[in-house]
Amino acid sequence: MSDSERMFVSDRRPPKETAGHQGHRGQLDETADHRTRLRVKELPIDRALEQAVFDGLNTEQKTAARHGAGPLLIVAGAGTGKTTTLAHRVAYLIASGVDPGRILLLTFTRRAAAEMLSRVDGILRKLRARAGEAGLRQPVTASAKVWGGTFHATAARLLRLHGESIGLDPSFTILDRADSEDLLHVARTEMGMATTDRRFPQKGTCMDIYSRCVDSSAPLESVLETAFPWCRRHEDDLGRLFAAYVDRKEDMAVLDYDDLLLFWRAVLADPVAGEAVRSRFDCVLVDEYQDTNVIQADILKALRPDGTGITVVGDDAQAIYSFRAATVRNILDFPKEFERATVVTLEQNYRSTEPILSATNGIIAQAAERHTKDLWSKRDGGEPPALVTCRDESEQTHFVITRILARREEGIPLRRQAVLFRAAHHSLEIELELARRSIPFHKYGGLKFAETAHVKDLVSFLRLAENPRDVVAGSRVLLLLPGVGPKRAAQLMSAVTETGGNLSPWHAETPAGVAASLWREFVSLVADLASNSHADLSSQLHAVRTFYNPLIELRFDDADARMRDLEHLEQLAGKFGNRASFLAEITLDPPTWTEDLAGPPHLDEDYLILSTMHSAKGLEWDACYVIHAADGNIPSDMACGSSEEIDEELRLFYVALTRARDHLCVCFPLRYYRLGRRTTDVHGYAQPTRFLCGSVRDRFELCDAGLAPDNPDAVTDSAAAAISTTDIRNQIKQMWS
């Protein structure tokens, strides 16, 4: 791309008009491709559009929001208003005449899409209020028509509509991660790979390898070499296992997460079905583009081959998910993939103070390859970030908690403060001390609500009714019946799958023992659900709960709490149009279970946040404390095998530091004890993370936790310092006198 086609603008510099940007009037350029239905009409009241849609945006954000139809990359630095800009771009497209139903907005969580579309609705309501009815006939809200959601949820929706063209059964069900592992384990066992005479990978590892191969489009040999070297000797067996796993999914008419993307890409490659999908959309917008994988990038290119109507937003400096096969190359190479692309960089930061930004800019400047940007803020002043040297983990824990409580006394609630760390186990000592002091906390990364046993049981009833060939769901519910074991469950499911999903073989069964009393009721329930797929979903869940509640009482000690969960789920089911959409959403974007807080409940419901760096992405707090900033932890010694891995660790550290608004502390323990300080004195010395090189360290205030005035250990240290080495040696010599 030529320099004249690339746009790097700032609020401190006048914007330049480039290819695909037509200036103030807001007229979107038309493409010569007559198949493209994107024809944007000029608004009759441009001034109202400017005031209503662009009110409060800086120059860079305005340029991005009112860009034309050519491919657009918005490089949005941390805290630069990415969501605001994307929401205004969607609102601008709708206000300019694009049918909301022909806009596809892809995000990485359903909640992100809902939040963004809610903002779009607000902008459009504001526009309508200012401009009145004169020439503006846009709907007040947009979220009802815009295709908004995750890649996987959108794939499921499109495959229901177009999957038959490539032979996909429209009644397919979706396996979540745990179900996929279980199905892989069944194949692993039946193929004789679950023996004890060799260390064959467990089902979770097998699933990791399989997904990495699929999502990165890399051969098995390469994935094993780079990510799972200890599994290399099992390459042939893993290949056979994965082939069997694929066959089983085909027989059962089920798709896993990876299949959703693969099948979507395959539909787009089909001449007829692909054109049908492409013709649905005029504009495609993708959030968090740095977190996409190879398949998702292929899907985007297949949706809009010439780039018309494409907008992607992301930050290469926050690409931290390569372990999920995401590749930073997608965002770095976007201008090469779409030659007419315009790049707009958002540099004005609305989150952090200037001293914090100075430090984080220095950190990310060490990246080997990136879209150049220098974040700045109008929030002048503020204290510089602190680099705190601690003697050991205990002193680090004491310092951090003392500082947190001091900030609380200054008016910053606990929930506006966060302790961030590279790995989940790094917070164990702090968790114990918080519990000892009865300080409540919430740790990000808890069990998903949909992963709990009782919710998975309930959902499995519906999955079996939706697709009787779903062996994983069917086996799960059959094993709930007293007297039915794994072998019998396998026989019963085999009888159904052999008939193509017909439940008639079950009607002829007369199980012996305890299961006999429940069998008729069970078969009748599943048959009724299967034949009434469009019945009210709450009624379906109520019928399942009525049958399942007595089984809950037999299986769980906390039966009452679990039954309340399912009752609440039944109440929420009313918002779903049908059973298929409910099953897709609870599988692809499950709600999160609220974790218990440490200690007794507090009336003010305030709690400290503990989070891994990965989980902290997209969040912000007034004060952040990054702990264990020692080489080997940051970067992790498990992620130093290549320059690419080290670069990602640098970006992860950058993500953690950029979560802070006003206060930032980076703590570095000098000593690490092998088994804990109270167990043994065996320890080693560490050095600060390599990412805090000399020039970057100058942007921090260097502190010693042991010299902090509120550290009681400091008195002991001071007293100890009054004893000289001469005194100690004289005492030793007296032993021999």
Side-chain angles (χ1 to χ4, degrees):
M1 184 192 306
S2 66
D3 291 340
S4 63
E5 293 176 307
R6 191 185 300 272
M7 184 189 306
F8 291 93
V9 297
S10 167
D11 204 28
R12 296 165 289 188
R13 301 184 293 274
K16 299 177 182 179
E17 292 191 6
T18 62
H21 174 55
Q22 301 296 324
H24 172 77
R25 299 293 293 174
Q27 175 84 25
L28 294 187
D29 58 335
E30 295 186 355
T31 170
D33 185 356
H34 296 291
R35 294 174 301 172
T36 302
R37 298 177 55 184
L38 180 57
R39 298 291 184 267
V40 181
K41 299 173 289 186
E42 185 174 331
L43 278 177
I45 306 177
D46 279 324
R47 190 172 299 277
L49 176 67
E50 291 287 341
Q51 292 176 348
V53 177
F54 298 142
D55 186 30
L57 299 188
N58 63 38
T59 303
E60 297 160 314
Q61 293 171 330
K62 290 178 184 177
T63 302
R66 65 187 184 189
H67 175 74
L72 172 65
L73 167 61
I74 305 173
V75 180
T80 56
K82 166 181 69 71
T83 302
T84 297
T85 304
L86 194 55
H88 279 78
R89 173 136 183 84
V90 175
Y92 173 71
L93 291 170
I94 295 171
S96 299
V98 178
D99 180 355
R102 300 186 60 78
I103 296 176
L104 174 60
L105 174 63
L106 295 169
T107 62
F108 274 81
T109 67
R110 176 183 53 82
R111 288 171 291 279
E115 177 190 351
M116 201 168 300
L117 291 175
S118 176
R119 293 196 189 191
V120 172
D121 292 343
I123 297 166
L124 292 177
R125 283 194 296 268
K126 187 177 179 181
L127 171 61
R128 191 176 183 91
R130 291 196 182 187
E133 299 295 335
L136 294 174
R137 304 189 182 280
Q138 298 84 8
V140 176
T141 60
S143 56
K145 283 193 170 184
V146 171
W147 282 60
T150 65
F151 270 92
H152 293 88
T154 302
R157 185 178 175 186
L158 288 170
L159 290 174
R160 299 282 185 202
L161 297 171
H162 302 282
E164 278 190 285
S165 62
I166 60 170
L168 179 64
D169 187 336
S171 66
F172 69 85
T173 48
I174 303 169
L175 301 177
D176 64 15
R177 170 63 188 236
D179 292 329
S180 299
E181 290 183 6
D182 289 343
L183 182 58
L184 198 59
H185 181 63
V186 171
R188 175 178 176 272
T189 302
E190 291 182 355
M191 296 175 72
M193 298 175 184
T195 58
T196 58
D197 61 340
R198 58 177 182 161
R199 186 189 171 209
F200 194 80
Q202 293 287 344
K203 62 179 182 179
T205 304
C206 291
M207 197 71 238
D208 287 339
I209 297 170
Y210 175 86
S211 292
R212 181 73 68 93
C213 292
V214 172
D215 293 337
S216 63
S217 298
L220 177 58
E221 179 184 8
S222 173
V223 169
L224 293 178
E225 182 70 31
T226 56
F228 303 90
W230 68 271
C231 299
R232 283 178 297 189
R233 64 193 183 99
H234 300 298
E235 180 182 344
D236 292 341
D237 284 344
L238 285 169
R240 292 192 301 109
L241 174 63
F242 296 157
Y245 171 65
V246 172
D247 289 339
R248 284 178 175 272
K249 288 186 293 180
E250 178 69 17
D251 294 339
M252 294 165 51
V254 298
L255 302 180
D256 61 20
Y257 287 166
D258 304 316
D259 289 332
L260 290 170
L261 299 181
L262 286 173
F263 277 62
W264 185 6
R265 185 175 67 176
V267 167
L268 287 168
D270 181 80
V272 177
E275 189 58 34
V277 174
R278 275 186 290 275
S279 66
R280 285 181 173 272
F281 307 113
D282 291 333
C283 300
V284 180
L285 302 96
V286 184
D287 191 18
E288 303 286 7
Y289 193 60
Q290 77 280 349
D291 294 335
T292 55
N293 60 36
V294 172
I295 300 176
Q296 289 163 327
D298 288 345
I299 288 170
L300 185 64
K301 284 180 278 190
L303 278 171
R304 314 300 302 163
D306 65 351
T308 301
I310 285 181
T311 298
V312 300
V313 184
D315 182 10
D316 54 286
Q318 298 185 65
I320 57 175
Y321 290 113
S322 67
F323 64 92
R324 295 180 185 169
T327 171
V328 71
R329 299 304 329 165
N330 286 348
I331 192 168
L332 291 176
D333 296 340
F334 184 86
K336 299 177 184 176
E337 293 291 341
F338 300 99
E339 295 182 355
R340 299 187 300 117
T342 296
V343 181
V344 177
T345 305
L346 306 184
E347 295 181 308
Q348 183 177 353
N349 180 283
Y350 295 92
R351 176 186 299 157
S352 305
T353 60
E354 193 63 45
I356 292 176
L357 286 179
S358 174
T360 55
N361 283 337
I363 293 289
I364 199 60
Q366 302 171 71
E369 187 177 4
R370 67 191 183 105
H371 285 289
T372 304
K373 54 186 172 297
D374 188 19
L375 302 188
W376 60 277
S377 173
K378 290 182 179 179
R379 299 188 62 208
D380 295 327
E383 63 185 36
L387 176 58
V388 183
T389 302
C390 309
R391 288 178 302 179
D392 50 33
E393 289 184 82
S394 296
E395 187 170 80
Q396 175 181 251
T397 296
H398 175 84
F399 172 82
V400 169
I401 294 179
T402 300
R403 183 62 63 91
I404 287 169
L405 295 177
R407 296 290 187 204
R408 179 175 178 270
E409 292 302 314
E410 294 170 4
I412 303 178
L414 292 177
R415 63 182 176 274
R416 294 300 310 152
Q417 303 186 64
V419 181
L420 308 179
F421 33 87
R422 174 62 180 86
H425 67 271
H426 288 166
S427 67
L428 293 180
E429 183 160 328
I430 282 183
E431 290 179 50
L432 291 173
E433 184 63 16
L434 289 171
R436 190 184 69 81
R437 299 194 191 192
S438 297
I439 299 174
F441 65 89
H442 184 113
K443 185 174 180 180
Y444 280 89
L447 184 67
K448 295 286 187 183
F449 179 65
E451 293 172 356
T452 54
H454 56 300
V455 174
K456 284 185 70 67
D457 289 345
L458 185 80
V459 171
S460 292
F461 278 94
L462 299 184
R463 280 179 44 195
L464 177 62
E466 188 75 9
N467 175 16
R469 287 186 290 165
D470 188 336
V471 174
V472 175
S475 298
R476 186 179 187 96
V477 297
L478 286 169
L479 290 172
L480 296 174
L481 304 178
V484 176
K487 184 177 180 180
R488 185 63 177 140
Q491 293 171 344
L492 291 168
M493 284 307 304
S494 178
V496 170
T497 55
E498 287 175 2
T499 63
N502 193 316
L503 294 174
S504 56
W506 286 4
H507 289 284
E509 288 288 336
T510 53
V514 186
S517 58
L518 289 175
W519 183 252
R520 297 299 175 200
E521 184 182 355
F522 167 72
V523 174
S524 176
L525 170 65
V526 176
D528 288 345
L529 292 173
S531 61
N532 295 285
S533 60
H534 297 292
D536 177 68
L537 185 59
S538 296
S539 299
Q540 295 183 53
L541 285 173
H542 182 75
V544 175
R545 277 203 316 112
T546 301
F547 177 82
Y548 180 50
N549 279 352
L551 300 177
I552 290 181
E553 294 177 341
L554 294 175
R555 297 187 69 207
F556 304 107
D557 294 332
D558 53 347
D560 289 341
R562 293 177 186 263
M563 285 190 282
R564 285 195 298 270
D565 287 342
L566 301 184
E567 184 178 353
H568 184 57
L569 192 60
E570 176 187 323
Q571 294 169 356
L572 294 176
K575 72 174 186 175
F576 295 94
N578 54 62
R579 188 168 67 201
S581 63
F582 168 78
L583 290 173
E585 181 159 325
I586 202 168
T587 302
L588 298 175
D589 193 16
T592 302
W593 179 256
T594 303
E595 295 181 47
D596 293 332
L597 303 180
H602 289 230
L603 294 179
D604 61 2
E605 296 184 350
D606 197 13
Y607 51 85
L608 178 68
I609 300 297
L610 306 181
S611 175
T612 63
M613 294 177 180
H614 283 98
S615 297
K617 186 172 177 292
L619 304 175
E620 63 179 51
W621 295 275
D622 294 342
C624 290
Y625 311 86
V626 178
I627 60 175
H628 292 292
D631 227 52
N633 292 330
I634 306 173
S636 169
D637 55 3
M638 300 295 290
C640 294
S642 66
S643 58
E644 290 80 10
E645 288 181 307
I646 295 175
D647 246 24
E648 178 156 329
E649 290 290 300
L650 171 68
R651 295 193 294 267
L652 184 58
F653 187 47
Y654 171 79
V655 166
L657 301 189
T658 54
R659 301 307 95 196
R661 288 178 48 82
D662 304 307
H663 308 284
L664 175 62
C665 275
V666 179
C667 295
F668 155 63
L670 275 173
R671 288 179 291 196
Y672 282 92
Y673 289 85
R674 179 172 297 176
L675 298 174
R677 185 175 182 177
R678 296 176 180 84
T679 306
T680 176
D681 192 47
V682 177
H683 64 273
Y685 285 91
Q687 61 183 8
T689 171
R690 69 191 70 180
F691 303 141
L692 292 173
C693 59
S695 59
V696 175
R697 199 177 305 186
D698 292 340
R699 307 183 190 193
F700 286 79
E701 178 184 357
L702 305 183
C703 310
D704 189 329
L707 300 179
D710 50 10
N711 188 344
D713 290 340
V715 177
T716 304
D717 290 347
S718 177
I723 302 175
S724 69
T725 57
T726 302
D727 294 331
I728 297 173
R729 296 189 186 283
N730 285 335
Q731 293 175 9
I732 295 174
K733 286 192 293 183
Q734 289 176 6
M735 297 174 61
W736 322 118
S737 60

